[in-house]
Amino acid sequence: MRTGQAFIEESRRYLSEEYFPKIRRSLEGLTPEDVWWRPNEESNSIGNLILHLAGNVRQWVIAGIGGAEDLRERQAEFDRRGGRKTEQILDHLGDTLKEVDDVLAALPEGRLSDPLIIQGLPVTVLRALYHVVEHFSMHTGQIIYLSKLRSGKDLGFYKVVDGDVKTTW
């Protein structure tokens, strides 16, 4: 596999097979109050972060790379204070990631150097995709941390079996 295609495939894998399952596992056993809890007014809840991730990948991949209309209302992702059930926001993110995966599955590696303007920034397709994966990783870590704060539990992502580390999702 060529390097560009490997980058696209690995990006798809991280978003769908690494980060999203960790987010889903992080919400198991949390109450709606836990999902929308904020440590303070300057911080976001898990619910806000999930809405933000869906908005970000839609804007950068589906609209930016894929050419769909950009309808994002970024501030609304942070302003929400509940009102959506946990399964609803997880389904929203999951559905968005399926659309992202469709765009990336059809993305030829030859487009990685194509110029784009996203959020008013000049980027290439490669830079946009790199941003999305990095951004998703950072907020996945925040969601995991907030979940551990609220539940007081180890989320059990990894288990050592016969000296080897195994994933459990």
Side-chain angles (χ1 to χ4, degrees), residues 46-62:
I46 291 171
N48 294 118
L49 292 169
I50 290 172
L51 295 176
H52 176 60
L53 286 173
N56 179 267
V57 297
R58 177 168 298 286
Q59 183 177 47
W60 284 75
V61 177
I62 298 169

Side-chain angles (χ1 to χ4, degrees), residues 7 60-61 64-65 107 109-118 121-132:
F7 173 74
W60 284 75
V61 177
I65 295 172
L107 179 65
E109 70 175 311
R111 282 204 51 219
L112 288 173
S113 60
D114 287 359
L116 302 169
I117 302 291
I118 304 174
L121 302 170
V123 297
T124 62
V125 171
L126 185 141
R127 185 172 172 199
L129 186 51
Y130 194 77
H131 159 77
V132 164

Side-chain angles (χ1 to χ4, degrees), residues 19-35:
Y19 304 145
F20 187 57
K22 286 179 180 175
I23 290 171
R24 185 173 285 286
R25 169 78 63 87
S26 295
L27 273 65
E28 290 175 2
L30 294 183
T31 67
E33 292 76 23
D34 292 329
V35 171

Side-chain angles (χ1 to χ4, degrees), residues 57-90:
V57 297
R58 177 168 298 286
Q59 183 177 47
W60 284 75
V61 177
I62 298 169
I65 295 172
E69 185 178 2
D70 181 5
L71 303 173
R72 186 177 186 193
E73 294 180 25
R74 187 176 185 277
Q75 191 56 48
E77 300 158 13
F78 302 108
D79 289 342
R80 185 171 285 274
R81 297 291 195 272
R84 291 184 75 183
K85 294 180 182 176
T86 302
E87 274 306 309
Q88 288 176 313
I89 60 174
L90 281 173

